[in-house]
Amino acid sequence: MTARRKLESGVFVFAMFGALLILPPLVYIFNHPILFFGIPQIVVYLFGVWALMVIGAGVLTHYLPHASDEDGHEGDE
């Protein structure tokens, strides 16, 4: 398996893990009347997960190599 395929698989797993973190059963765990600097715990959790997903996607796409012309992704030719 090439390094590009491994990284693409990692991106897929990362996306699925992020999607699982925002499903209601997990989100409801953080639905308590606890405040962090006046912000409810559930809001801090959701924005924290969102921020980690944005940062993680940026890092993973930075290390993902560009598709080469040998992959068969050429234009109309």
Side-chain angles (χ1 to χ4, degrees):
M1 190 179 240
T2 66
R4 180 175 175 80
R5 297 280 295 180
K6 287 181 183 179
L7 199 53
E8 286 175 352
S9 298
V11 169
F12 177 74
V13 170
F14 181 74
M16 290 296 108
F17 183 67
L20 287 174
L21 287 176
I22 60 170
L23 286 176
L26 266 169
V27 172
Y28 290 149
I29 293 172
F30 296 94
N31 193 12
H32 297 290
I34 299 171
L35 300 176
F36 295 105
F37 303 107
I39 303 170
Q41 182 181 13
I42 192 168
V43 174
V44 172
Y45 171 75
L46 289 174
F47 275 102
V49 168
W50 172 77
L52 289 175
M53 291 301 296
V54 168
I55 292 168
V59 169
L60 285 173
T61 55
H62 175 73
Y63 289 110
L64 189 64
H66 295 290
S68 65
D69 292 338
E70 297 171 3
D71 291 340
H73 298 301
E74 294 184 21
D76 295 328
E77 295 180 47

